[in-house]
Amino acid sequence: MPRLYVVDVPEFKPLVETSRGRDGYRVSDPRKGYWMIETDGPMTFERKALGMKPALWYGMFTGGLDGEVADWGRDTVTVIGTNRPL
């Protein structure tokens, strides 16, 4: 199960709001300055749909990640879970 930790700042709010509206995605309330987004399957985001400029796009993992990036391009990123213990 991939988990994405998102810094609680306005610039990354589109990640949180988009995830809230998706079936199967769970979003925690912010804790210690970070939101947690998780899902049971692959997690995919599209930069243009989020309205993120490239600098924010490339910094979206600054809060941390449990899982691994399976694909990351200029406009799409996919994160998958791993079988490795946390």
Side-chain angles (χ1 to χ4, degrees):
M1 167 182 340
R3 289 186 184 110
L4 175 62
Y5 299 92
V6 180
V7 180
D8 186 15
V9 295
E11 293 83 0
F12 292 120
K13 194 74 166 191
L15 287 166
V16 173
E17 295 305 321
T18 297
S19 297
R20 277 192 175 141
R22 291 184 173 175
D23 287 338
Y25 282 58
R26 295 171 297 283
V27 179
S28 70
D29 288 332
R31 185 171 178 214
K32 296 185 179 183
Y34 297 89
W35 298 87
M36 184 181 70
I37 301 169
E38 63 183 349
T39 186
D40 294 326
M43 186 181 296
T44 301
F45 295 101
E46 296 179 12
R47 182 181 68 83
K48 291 179 183 177
L50 294 170
M52 296 179 92
K53 300 284 185 189
L56 288 173
W57 178 251
Y58 292 114
M60 69 187 290
F61 295 116
T62 55
L65 170 70
D66 288 334
E68 70 182 57
V69 177
D71 182 48
W72 193 5
R74 179 174 167 84
D75 294 312
T76 305
V77 65
T78 301
V79 177
I80 59 173
T82 65
N83 292 329
R84 295 180 216 141
L86 297 175

